[in-house]
Amino acid sequence: MIDLVNSNLRKLPAWSLYIVAPLPAAFWLWQGATGASGPEPIKALEHSLGLFALQLLIFGLAITPLRKWTGLNLLKFRRAVGVVSFFYVLLHFLTWLVLDMSLLWGQILGDIVKRPYITIGFIGFVLLIPLAITSNNLSVRKLGARWRKLHKLVYPAVLLGGLHWVWLAKGWQLEPMLYLAAILTILALRAIPKPRKRALAA
């Protein structure tokens, strides 16, 4: 069964993700513009973009463990998922910067320094910038083995994204805690070596 799924996935080009990726953002913008997103459209847009960015980051982080533990091979989509994730993180950041904070730079810098959940969210965003810049074939060739090391920055970036939401939620709310638990589980699964078949048989 898994071989059939992998066979069909191989026929799907990775670039197709770039075509469908903007659709959720366009829908949320439309909701905000028409008043369909509630009494606080900017907050709703900011939250939707941020949550979807975190979901994509977690999905990208899970691709290797999925292959390792289930055989599902999504590796060809990993780089595209990473780029789309950054796209949504960037939109989330720009929504906060432009629509929420109205480009009031003094207040923006003050919030980044004084509010821990903004600080860690901003650090996570900064960590993703070099990954987005080097997510191309030329950078892979130029950087060689250093490319893999550089892209391990995604681990702390996703963790900071999860903490950003937990801290923002103020209190031990279930949903952000579940997301953080998922991140920690995926990171642990990446670190745990898969048992060899011989060992399992014994």
Side-chain angles (χ1 to χ4, degrees), residues 99-128:
L99 299 181
D100 195 357
M101 303 299 290
S102 303
L103 295 176
L104 298 172
W105 295 106
Q107 191 174 340
I108 290 166
L109 293 174
D111 277 359
I112 290 174
V113 173
K114 292 177 184 175
R115 296 176 187 268
Y117 74 89
I118 295 181
T119 307
I120 59 177
F122 182 72
I123 293 172
F125 167 66
V126 170
L127 289 178
L128 290 173

Side-chain angles (χ1 to χ4, degrees), residues 130-194:
L131 310 192
I133 292 173
T134 57
S135 286
N136 55 75
N137 291 335
L138 179 63
S139 296
V140 174
R141 286 196 299 272
K142 290 267 186 188
L143 293 174
R146 289 174 296 168
W147 190 88
R148 282 183 179 278
K149 290 181 181 176
L150 176 66
H151 280 248
K152 287 182 179 177
L153 284 175
V154 72
Y155 306 154
V158 180
L159 186 56
L160 288 172
L163 289 171
H164 167 70
W165 192 22
V166 168
W167 214 316
L168 172 65
K170 295 177 182 174
W172 301 104
Q173 295 191 29
L174 181 61
E175 191 179 2
M177 292 300 295
L178 288 176
Y179 275 79
L180 184 59
I183 293 168
L184 293 172
T185 301
I186 293 169
L187 289 174
L189 285 174
R190 294 183 67 97
I192 298 171
K194 185 179 178 182

Side-chain angles (χ1 to χ4, degrees), residues 42-60:
I42 294 175
K43 286 292 181 188
L45 177 63
E46 202 175 306
H47 176 74
S48 297
L49 292 169
L51 180 58
F52 193 53
L54 186 60
Q55 290 167 346
L56 286 169
L57 285 167
I58 293 172
F59 177 63

